[in-house]
Amino acid sequence: MTTPLTPPRLRNDCFAMPQGVEWVPVDKALALLRARLHAVTGTEALSVAHAHGRVLAAPAVARRSNPPRPNSAVDGYGFAHAATGDGVQRLPLLPGRAAAGQPFEGAVPPGAALRILTGAILPQGVDTVVLEEDCATDGQIVAFDGPVKRAINTRQAGEDVTEGAPILPAGRVLTPADLALLSAVGLGHVQAHRRLRVAVLSTGDELLADPAGQAAPHQIFDANRPMLLALLAGWGFDAVDLGHAPDDADQIAARLDQGAQSADAVLTSGGASAGDEDHVSRLLRARGTLSSWRIAVKPGRPLALALWGGVPVFGLPGNPVAALVCALVFARPALSLLSGAGWSEPQGFVVPAAFSKRKKAGRREYLRARLTDSGQAEVFASEGSGRISGLSWASGLVELPDAACTIAPGDLVRYLPYASFGVRSGG
Ligand code: AMP
Ligand code: MG
């Protein structure tokens, strides 16, 4: 067992923007986040049974080869290849058999054969197996056509993984297949990062936290919090619900304190711009270490980044569309880094557009999109950033470059499925 490591704290100025920067291009914002954040979670030993979705803290090294010993890949008859040749081969059968988990203890002399089943260790003297379907036998003799290839239908020791080989790197987020691999090479425990804890706070006087409540005309239901909590859980983090705070500095501060005590990072939504009612950014500026990043992105733009009690706060915009896009594009890779899993980039696919669009230079743009049956990207009819139905309709985003562009149907565009942000799409 290794002692749990306490990672260094984030630097106070980790979100500082260089002087004079007005609009930060998306790539520059991402590069800054990537350069300044690092893993903040300690590590613990974990049984493989509990390791799904967890982040490896140290490279996994095979304790045993897979397969550990040469064995048969089929049900058939095993023998020494050197004693066989061309034409019909007739070999006397030894009594007994070799099966998976039931090794044949004796040796098979040259010129003899033994019944052998899939997964059985090759007995001494056997290097080749002929498939049962290719043989005739009366129980005394087995007959098949030669020549057969040496070592056919066998698996060599270590042909999959050799003992001592590194199989998975630190930072790997363990998949179901990884659990199979770890188990196969005798690793019942791994050293993993503690799960990242991320708290979520909604802000706004207009919000009604209870989705079953009676809303007054000036009130709206809180849509961002359930979305963000679900995103975090889907990314394998522990999501902490900080509820909702009205636009009041002291109440927001109290929730942020709670977040800083119970989590490794906080996501807020709403109040992140620089207006009169933007209480989150005002508070973070007054009592935290705010940097307002004016990111050249649509939807989105202002992203308030700050440390509060040493914990990073990502102040997302209140508009649900902008909140989701900013969470996927900026918060996800940053949280991934904090979690020990390293930076993450969504895998994009270049597909023909099923839409027309003209955009000006200056801002990268993300459109709610999904693929048609013929594999073209169609986009949601309205671009309004309060249109939550479009978020739900979409199964991904089309990313348009920072530069000006004109898209006509059939032109190639970059499609980023929700799945490539680690998010389930409705199907
Ligand atoms: P803000 O960023 O606070 O200026 O909010 C921008 C828009 O998003 C306003 O129309 C808010 O009412 C709306 N909004 C803010 N937070 C939420 C939320 N949690 N759920 C739904 N809409 C919200
Ligand atoms: Mg607001």
Side-chain angles (χ1 to χ4, degrees):
M1 228 2 251
T2 40
T3 32
L5 292 175
T6 312
R9 297 178 73 84
L10 297 175
R11 287 169 54 107
N12 247 349
D13 61 353
C14 69
F15 292 132
M17 263 291 156
Q19 289 286 313
V21 170
E22 259 293 283
W23 288 98
V24 198
V26 171
D27 287 338
K28 167 92 175 160
L30 292 174
L32 284 171
L33 287 174
R34 184 174 192 169
R36 295 180 185 176
L37 297 176
H38 56 75
V40 296
T41 46
T43 69
E44 60 189 351
L46 212 60
S47 83
V48 163
H50 295 112
H52 181 218
R54 298 292 294 267
V55 180
L56 268 191
V61 174
R63 193 166 70 83
R64 195 180 197 219
S65 293
N66 185 52
R69 305 292 298 273
N71 66 65
S72 179
V74 299
D75 288 352
Y77 297 88
F79 49 85
H81 180 264
T84 63
D86 289 355
V88 176
Q89 308 293 304
R90 291 188 183 82
L91 307 183
L93 265 179
L94 293 190
R97 59 170 206 169
Q102 294 170 23
F104 181 79
E105 301 297 354
V108 177
L114 180 76
R115 175 78 172 139
I116 188 164
L117 302 177
T118 307
I121 289 181
L122 300 187
Q124 206 187 323
V126 171
D127 60 5
T128 302
V129 177
V130 66
L131 197 62
E132 169 176 290
E133 290 87 328
D134 294 339
C135 297
T137 181
D138 58 2
Q140 305 295 314
I141 302 274
V142 61
F144 55 89
D145 281 330
V148 291
K149 255 169 87 181
R150 204 186 78 77
I152 193 110
N153 297 320
T154 66
R155 306 165 176 149
Q156 303 311 301
E159 71 175 24
D160 181 23
V161 181
T162 51
E163 183 187 327
I167 51 166
L168 294 167
R172 172 84 175 185
V173 182
L174 295 173
T175 66
D178 292 342
L179 304 190
L181 178 58
L182 289 164
S183 302
V185 300
L187 296 175
H189 286 81
V190 290
Q191 198 66 23
H193 282 274
R194 175 176 61 66
R195 244 186 238 285
L196 190 76
R197 274 194 296 272
V198 186
V200 176
L201 175 66
S202 289
T203 70
D205 284 341
E206 74 280 32
L207 294 185
L208 187 68
D210 176 10
Q214 278 301 320
H218 63 276
Q219 289 183 309
I220 61 169
F221 294 111
D222 181 356
N224 289 340
R225 199 156 42 96
M227 172 175 76
L228 295 172
L229 288 168
L231 272 184
L232 295 168
W235 290 333
F237 305 141
D238 279 338
V240 179
D241 187 355
L242 295 178
H244 149 252
D247 289 318
D248 171 85
D250 289 337
Q251 294 197 50
I252 298 171
R255 297 297 172 104
L256 290 178
D257 286 343
Q258 204 186 324
Q261 278 154 24
S262 60
D264 304 301
V266 180
L267 301 184
T268 67
S269 72
S273 308
D276 290 352
E277 290 298 324
D278 290 314
H279 298 267
V280 171
S281 47
R282 183 147 7 120
L283 175 68
L284 290 172
R285 182 171 299 109
R287 301 195 221 162
T289 52
L290 175 83
S291 266
S292 227
W293 289 24
R294 301 219 293 161
I295 302 178
V297 63
K298 183 180 171 187
R301 294 219 255 199
L303 194 61
L305 294 167
L307 287 186
W308 183 275
V311 165
V313 177
F314 298 83
L316 305 172
N319 272 310
V321 175
L324 182 68
V325 167
C326 288
L328 298 182
V329 175
F330 302 107
R332 177 179 182 242
L335 294 174
S336 175
L337 210 46
L338 295 173
S339 77
W343 191 253
S344 70
E345 269 168 23
Q347 187 182 19
F349 298 88
V350 175
V351 300
F355 63 93
S356 305
K357 159 105 187 154
R358 170 169 251 152
K359 91 173 260 304
K360 289 189 286 198
R363 288 206 273 163
R364 185 167 302 181
E365 204 165 322
Y366 293 92
L367 307 173
R368 278 85 77 209
R370 65 184 189 189
L371 291 185
T372 63
D373 288 344
S374 59
Q376 300 189 318
E378 57 176 343
V379 297
F380 192 62
S382 163
E383 291 181 16
S385 108
R387 300 290 185 97
I388 304 175
S389 58
L391 281 183
S392 168
W393 170 93
S395 49
L397 302 171
V398 158
E399 182 185 66
L400 300 179
D402 301 5
C405 68
T406 305
I407 309 280
D411 289 351
L412 296 179
V413 292
R414 185 159 188 255
Y415 175 67
L416 302 163
Y418 282 155
S420 75
F421 292 102
V423 180
R424 200 173 282 178
S425 68

